[in-house]
Every structure is written in C-alpha cells, then in structure tokens.
C-alpha cells in the first residue's frame, strides 16, 4: 500500500489526530516489477550480442549504452547517459556521424567508420550502424546505433599499405638499376659493333656475335 497522512485539528488549530488514507497499489508494484524484469532481459539480450549498443534521443544525446560499449571505451555505462554522442568521437568522425544522423529516417540503416576516444585518451576504430527511430508523426526521434570494433582490421590495413609502399619503392629502385645496367650493356655492345665495323670486312658469324645479344637485350627490356 501507499498512504496519505492528513492532520485533524480543532477550532483553535491544535492537532487532535491524524487521518490516514491507504491505497492498494499491488497491481502497480507488479507492473513495475515486470517492467524491471523486462528491462533486465532486454539489456542481457543487447549485451549478449557481442557488439556495442547506444541509443540517442532526438537531440542525439545518449540515453543508453550497453556494457560492451563501456568495456570498449573504459567508461561506466551510466556515465554516457546525457552526453552528446559526437563528444565520444574525433572531430572528423563527429562531422561524418552528425551528417548521417541528420539524414537518417528513410528506413535504411547507415554505416560509417569512426574513431572513438577511450577513457585513457587512446583511440579505437569502430563501425557505427545507425538505425533511425521515428515518432508518431514520422519525425526523427533518435537512433539505435550498433558499435563494432574494427581496430585490428584498421591496424592490418595500415600494415598492408606500408608494405605496399615499401614494395613499390623497392620495385622503382630495381627498375632504375635494371635500366642503368641495360643502358651500360647496350653501350658496350654498340662499341663492340663499331670496333668490328672499323676493322673492315668481317664475316657474318662475327657480326652476329654482337648484333644478336643487342637485339636480345632490347627485347628483354621491352618485356
């Protein structure tokens, strides 16, 4: 039950007693308990999914963040509530996300790669999948945002880009060296040809000793 207390006073204003009115609120308590159980089940399902989950209101302020988000960023779950979601992101990522949230509401999930700041000041890459929520008038009422950690993927991409840049540098250097050798070899063959020509009459076999390698070197460089 809940109850209301009202004082009973005489004509002189002195309290002579108390009127107590009781109300049976058993049904209300049962409903509240059921809602609490339902909320706990909902949170358990959201946490069990493996990804982080954040909900925001129409002003893009955080209304809920699950334990996976808290673990990823190193903050207590309740510390997120009331904060603008863009406050968790780098400047560039915040601008991208703000644009997607503004354009949300057409019923199609939107995705973007974003950098989120951890409590220790380091950054983590994540894919944010945005599902817009609409009110009765179909106006934007907020969004449910799934957060998937892709830090390892971004690290591998960085390693591959570096390795590719190193390989291209190596190939460019190799190409330069081969070109230098090619030019030097042709110069020597040309000089040998000129020396043979200067001797006057030479047979076909001697001529081919120089001409054939010359053609082979040019063909090899073309390939």
């Amino acid at each position: 039950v809940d109850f209301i207390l009202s004082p009973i006073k005489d004509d002189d204003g002195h309290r002579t007693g108390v009127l107590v009115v009781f109300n049976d609120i058993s049904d209300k308590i049962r409903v509240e308990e059921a809602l609490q159980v339902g909320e706990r089940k909902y949170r358990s399902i959201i946490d069990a999914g493996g990804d982080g989950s954040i909900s925001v209101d129409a002003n893009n302020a955080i209304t809920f963040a699950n334990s996976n988000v808290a673990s990823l960023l190193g903050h207590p779950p309740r510390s997120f509530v009331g904060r603008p979601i863009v406050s968790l992101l780098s400047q560039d990522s915040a601008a991208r996300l703000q644009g997607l949230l503004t354009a949300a509401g057409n019923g199609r999930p939107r995705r973007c790669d974003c950098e989120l700041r951890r409590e220790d000041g380091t950054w983590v890459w994540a894919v944010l999948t945005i599902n817009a929520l609409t009110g009765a008038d179909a106006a934007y009422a907020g969004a449910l945002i799934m957060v998937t950690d892709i830090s390892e993927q971004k690290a591998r991409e960085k390693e591959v880009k570096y390795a590719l840049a190193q390989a291209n540098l190596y190939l460019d250097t190799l190409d330069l060296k081969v070109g230098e050798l090619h030019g030097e070899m042709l110069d020597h063959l040309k000089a040998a040809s000129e020396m043979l020509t200067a001797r006057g009459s030479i047979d076909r076999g001697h001529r081919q000793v120089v001409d054939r390698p010359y053609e082979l070197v040019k063909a090899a460089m073309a390939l």
Side-chain angles (χ1 to χ4, degrees):
V1 297
D2 69 3
F3 54 88
I4 300 173
L5 305 179
S6 300
I8 300 173
K9 300 181 179 181
D10 59 19
D11 294 339
D12 296 327
H14 300 113
R15 191 175 68 178
T16 60
V18 177
L19 175 65
V20 183
V21 179
F22 292 94
N23 293 302
D24 182 1
I25 59 169
S26 300
D27 289 342
K28 177 183 176 183
I29 294 296
R30 281 193 289 270
V31 169
E32 289 178 350
E33 289 176 346
L35 288 174
Q36 290 174 0
V37 171
E39 182 180 1
R40 286 196 295 271
K41 288 182 178 179
Y42 168 75
R43 290 176 182 267
S44 297
I45 292 171
I46 292 296
D47 288 342
D51 287 336
S53 298
I54 297 175
S55 62
V56 298
D57 60 19
N59 297 316
N60 295 323
I62 298 173
T63 58
F64 167 77
N66 73 346
S67 62
N68 296 328
V69 172
S71 176
L72 179 64
L73 301 184
H75 294 280
R78 292 192 177 276
S79 68
F80 294 100
V81 176
R83 296 176 58 181
I85 187 166
V86 294
S87 68
L88 304 179
L89 279 63
S90 66
Q91 187 173 356
D92 290 343
S93 295
R96 284 200 305 275
L97 179 63
Q98 189 67 54
L100 291 177
L101 289 171
T102 302
N106 64 356
R108 181 168 53 86
R110 297 172 179 268
R111 292 164 57 91
C112 68
D113 293 359
C114 294
E115 281 185 298
L116 291 86
R117 185 191 297 273
R118 289 192 175 104
E119 186 180 24
D120 61 6
T122 60
W123 296 92
V124 57
W125 276 99
V127 172
L128 304 188
T129 304
I130 305 159
N131 295 276
L133 306 174
T134 55
D137 57 354
Y140 175 71
L144 177 63
I145 302 172
M146 306 304 293
V147 183
T148 305
D149 183 4
I150 58 169
S151 298
E152 291 186 6
Q153 176 184 329
K154 286 291 183 179
R156 287 195 297 270
E157 288 178 0
K158 186 176 181 180
E159 291 175 359
V160 169
K161 287 180 180 178
Y162 176 77
L164 183 59
Q166 291 296 103
N168 285 331
L169 178 61
Y170 174 76
L171 291 174
D172 289 343
T173 304
L174 182 63
D175 185 56
L176 178 63
K177 293 295 183 183
V178 170
E180 292 174 352
L181 291 173
H182 166 251
E184 185 178 354
M185 192 177 298
L186 289 182
D187 288 342
H188 282 289
L189 291 173
K190 184 177 180 181
S193 176
E194 291 174 352
M195 290 174 61
L196 288 175
T197 302
R199 292 176 58 184
S201 177
I202 58 175
D203 60 36
R204 183 177 180 83
H206 288 161
R207 179 83 261 172
Q208 193 173 11
V209 169
V210 175
D211 290 345
R212 180 58 177 162
Y214 185 83
E215 295 300 326
L216 287 175
V217 170
K218 289 186 10 180
M221 285 305 298
L223 289 174

